Amino acid sequence: MMNAQLILENGITFDCKAFGYIKETIGEVVFNTGMTGYQEILTDPSYYGQIVVMTYPLIGNYGINLDDMESKKAMVRGFVVREKSDYPNNFRCELTLDGYLKDQKIIGIEGLDTRALTKVLRDYGTMKGIISVRELTPSQIKLKMNTFSNSNAVSLVSTPEKYEMGKSEEVHIAVMDFGIKQNILREFKKRDCKLTIFPAFSSATEILACEPDGIFLSNGPADPKDIPEVVETIKELIGRKPITAICLGHQLLSLALDGDTDKLKFGHHGSNHPVRDLISNRVYITSQNHNYHVAKLPTGAVITHTNLNDKTVEGMYIESLNIYSTQFHPEAAPGPTDTKHIFDEFIDVIKGGKLKCREI
């Protein structure tokens, strides 16, 4: 196994061993606290441009199958584990983790202390990192760090052309695809929705031309402020149709309503994040994957969900505009299915129903 090194933006380095596709990479280093779900994490478009560190020590023990993908290919820049499993054991296993990363041309590294790495990211915040299998000079490292950008991520993960799913005549939803997870589409299909999925940079005129009952804004990677043209399109859609959203879509909706977003120190990535639901006054464990959050709530918005770890906004509702969005991922994959009822609430809002929100 080839020697490798993870070099962080602040100069801290970790010696390790490379597996998967042996090729130098650079990305934003984040940690995920999920014990399972590595396959869905690898194929989640919201991770585009990132090197993902798994905090659970043994990864790959149930292998890879072709049914549970969240997109058509792996989206991460690199994958960091304490130890990979070389002998997976599961009746659905079709590939090893190592074999899958080779096929997808993604480098993995193992043999480093992922607990220590996670503590560094918690103390210093999310930062850029390089995985290299050769010695790099300080000037080479500086140049690579300075030239890395993930600002065009949405354009690289969105669908290149419009397509349709489902045939329901009751609810027709226009979906703006910023890097949508397949399980979001599956959840809407389970509820007999007709879906028309649009590329991220489609115009309001194009979206409204399909005569939807409502509009859904999907999850996706990177900073919502990197795509101001999409914010302008959403502004044109507000008030024309009910709008629901998840994750990046929630942030873009907030910006379109004159709210504001900001970057979290080390983001929320994992399947064990507690969220208080102010509609039902219950606490749910949620799946999350975002580096940015709504820092300033739009005028007239009511908070529907709040994060119990850091009190950030996890959901908002504007009754007068039929707008409802969440920061967390109610579709899970991976993660608990505690909040799948959110999709029923989305459809209720699209049909003109009202949420009964509580005050904090």
Side-chain angles (χ1 to χ4, degrees):
M1 192 175 290
M2 186 173 291
N3 290 331
Q5 195 172 55
L6 172 64
I7 306 164
L8 297 179
E9 191 175 0
N10 65 353
I12 295 176
T13 62
F14 290 85
D15 293 325
C16 47
K17 300 289 184 179
F19 66 96
Y21 188 75
I22 309 302
K23 184 180 180 181
E24 184 179 290
T25 191
I26 181 171
E28 192 174 40
V29 186
V30 301
F31 62 88
N32 185 292
T33 55
M35 294 176 66
T36 59
Y38 51 83
Q39 175 173 320
E40 292 90 336
I41 291 164
L42 287 168
T43 56
D44 182 349
S46 293
Y47 280 116
Y48 187 88
Q50 295 182 328
I51 295 171
V52 179
V53 181
M54 300 299 295
T55 60
Y56 191 72
L58 180 64
I59 299 295
N61 54 312
Y62 54 86
I64 298 284
N65 68 74
L66 301 179
D67 294 328
D68 294 338
M69 304 295 184
E70 285 304 313
S71 61
K72 293 180 181 179
K73 63 180 183 178
M75 293 290 179
V76 303
R77 284 290 185 93
F79 199 51
V80 183
V81 301
R82 176 66 184 90
E83 179 185 354
K84 77 177 190 306
S85 175
D86 293 318
Y87 303 101
N89 185 2
N90 186 277
F91 73 99
R92 300 178 70 212
C93 174
E94 297 174 83
L95 290 165
T96 64
L97 175 61
D98 184 40
Y100 178 69
L101 292 182
K102 280 186 172 72
D103 177 74
Q104 295 294 301
K105 294 181 169 51
I106 304 293
I107 190 170
I109 54 174
E110 67 170 333
L112 68 165
D113 189 339
T114 49
R115 295 171 301 175
L117 174 55
T118 299
K119 286 181 179 180
V120 169
L121 296 175
R122 284 183 61 92
D123 290 342
Y124 291 90
T126 298
M127 66 186 90
K128 299 172 191 174
I130 300 169
I131 297 175
S132 180
V133 292
R134 63 189 176 102
E135 288 292 328
L136 296 175
T137 65
S139 60
Q140 287 175 318
I141 293 170
K142 183 178 179 181
L143 178 63
K144 291 176 184 294
M145 293 289 188
N146 289 343
T147 55
F148 171 75
S149 172
N150 200 35
S151 60
N152 64 340
V154 169
S155 64
L156 296 173
V157 298
S158 178
T159 179
E161 56 187 24
K162 182 181 78 170
Y163 64 99
E164 293 185 356
M165 298 176 69
K167 297 180 180 179
S168 171
E169 296 181 1
E170 185 176 351
V171 181
H172 178 197
I173 302 173
V175 177
M176 293 187 72
D177 176 10
F178 308 124
I180 196 165
K181 288 174 62 186
Q182 290 302 298
N183 207 41
I184 292 175
L185 298 175
R186 294 185 201 112
E187 288 300 324
F188 278 125
K189 281 184 66 181
K190 285 178 186 176
R191 290 158 177 81
D192 297 322
C193 297
K194 177 183 177 181
L195 304 171
T196 303
I197 298 93
F198 289 87
F201 298 94
S202 300
S203 69
T205 301
E206 291 172 312
I207 294 166
L208 293 171
C210 76
E211 299 183 349
D213 298 302
I215 296 162
F216 175 78
L217 313 179
S218 86
N219 66 292
D223 185 344
K225 292 179 180 177
D226 286 338
I227 45 176
E229 57 269 61
V230 174
V231 174
E232 292 303 313
T233 298
I234 295 170
K235 285 181 180 180
E236 294 180 49
L237 296 171
I238 290 170
R240 305 284 295 276
K241 297 288 181 179
I243 300 177
T244 59
I246 289 173
C247 202
L248 178 65
H250 162 78
Q251 298 161 14
L252 290 166
L253 190 53
S254 299
L255 292 175
L257 289 160
D258 297 321
D260 198 11
T261 59
D262 199 4
K263 190 171 186 178
L264 294 162
K265 184 176 181 181
F266 45 80
H268 298 162
H269 309 279
S271 53
N272 50 6
H273 291 258
V275 164
R276 182 183 173 196
D277 182 337
L278 301 175
I279 299 171
S280 64
N281 202 30
R282 294 181 60 183
V283 173
Y284 295 105
I285 302 302
T286 67
S287 180
Q288 305 207 7
N289 179 17
H290 56 274
N291 275 346
Y292 296 83
H293 71 112
V294 173
K296 176 189 172 187
L297 208 64
T299 302
V302 175
I303 298 177
T304 59
H305 301 79
T306 187
N307 190 296
L308 292 181
N309 287 335
D310 60 12
K311 308 305 178 185
T312 51
V313 175
E314 291 282 356
M316 69 175 185
Y317 175 55
I318 303 178
E319 180 176 338
S320 61
L321 296 173
N322 286 330
I323 283 174
Y324 181 32
S325 62
T326 65
Q327 180 63 75
F328 60 90
H329 286 258
E331 82 286 352
T337 57
D338 293 22
T339 56
K340 284 193 175 181
H341 63 272
I342 295 291
F343 286 94
D344 299 312
E345 294 174 0
F346 281 166
I347 293 169
D348 285 344
V349 169
I350 287 170
K351 289 180 176 179
K354 306 299 180 184
L355 297 179
K356 295 180 180 179
C357 298
R358 298 170 181 263
E359 295 298 326
I360 295 179

